[in-house]
Amino acid sequence: MSKVILVTGAGRGLGTDIAREALAAGHQVVATGRRPEEVEKTLGGPQDNLLVTKLDVTSLEDAEAAAQAAVDRFGRIDVLINNAGNLFTGYFEEISPAQMRQQFETNLFGPMNVTRAVLPILRKQRAGHIITITSTAGLVGMEFTSAYAASKFAEEGWMESLRHDVEPYNIHTTVVEPGYFRTELLVDGSTVWPELSVDDYAPRTAPRIEGMKSMNGRQPGDPARLARALLTIADQDKPLQRFVAGADAIEAARAKAMELLAQAEASRELGGALAYADAHA
């Protein structure tokens, strides 16, 4: 069945693949980006089933305008795919406070803005699906990614809670945790390097940056296949609430789950006896 799918960050990387695959599958696509003329060119020019509109996710006004444009053109929105994001790298002390805030503005408050604009439409319809792309870094903290992981962990918590808020209105949510996919996340413009320099970290910072740059174009994941998998989930009667995408991501998630269980058990003796004596379990 054809759906109206709104995709953020459709001008490059995974967002472009999602929009292309959705159009090829016969869906009506609202492709958004900060430079709509580039988005339209990337997707092959004007098409009957395509609406390209400007959207900087850090602007609630842009988000509201994009949502209204989608309804004006296609009459509804069935699926929102929160894809737009970027990557601020660096050791915590080398990431400036301004950079940390910028990371959260794009990766957390950005999808919140778009979801806030779209949710009234989905509630009125009593139907819809919100898919938010987070990352394996939303499950597992790693060296040199404290800002990115913090924003993605926050995004995970928001989406996990949002599910309960919107379930009564027949609105589904899916959080997607990709591993390493050959997108454009590691290119300049999507990746931002640390603004500050601390001598203690210097011997580790330069090799880390070079290592990340060398990884670009060598990631194992195929973004077109991921895009098709997301469309499969969007077509499910009971969509997956969490989609761990990629063999590497699945192994990382399993290892994190086992680590959490082990840490919970290790905390039992000390942490399990902290209630008031007259408290009832």
Side-chain angles (χ1 to χ4, degrees), residues 234-271:
D235 278 337
Q236 293 173 335
D237 291 333
K238 294 184 178 179
L240 290 173
Q241 294 170 359
R242 168 171 277 107
F243 178 46
V244 185
D248 56 339
I250 291 169
E251 289 308 308
R254 285 176 56 84
K256 179 60 179 279
M258 293 173 66
E259 182 184 38
L260 282 173
L261 286 172
Q263 290 171 341
E265 287 304 316
S267 301
R268 187 179 297 279
E269 182 177 355
L270 184 61

Side-chain angles (χ1 to χ4, degrees), residues 109-120:
F109 296 117
M112 283 184 171
N113 283 337
V114 184
T115 302
R116 195 179 297 279
V118 169
L119 263 176

Side-chain angles (χ1 to χ4, degrees), residues 109-194:
F109 296 117
M112 283 184 171
N113 283 337
V114 184
T115 302
R116 195 179 297 279
V118 169
L119 263 176
I121 298 165
L122 305 189
R123 279 193 294 102
K124 185 177 180 180
Q125 296 169 176
R126 288 299 194 262
H129 190 179
I130 300 165
I131 299 174
T132 296
I133 314 295
T134 66
S135 170
T136 305
L139 294 175
V140 183
M142 293 172 281
E143 184 180 355
F144 211 66
T145 60
S146 62
Y148 185 68
S151 69
K152 292 299 183 179
F153 266 73
E155 203 173 15
E156 290 267 337
W158 163 59
M159 281 295 294
E160 198 163 298
S161 299
L162 180 66
R163 166 196 156 198
H164 301 286
D165 293 358
V166 300
E167 269 183 337
Y169 313 113
N170 195 35
I171 300 170
H172 302 288
T173 65
T174 300
V175 61
V176 181
E177 294 133 353
Y180 288 106
F181 278 80
R182 204 168 298 177
T183 64
E184 296 182 38
L185 184 62
L186 293 178
V187 302
D188 290 340
S190 291
T191 295
V192 182
W193 309 110

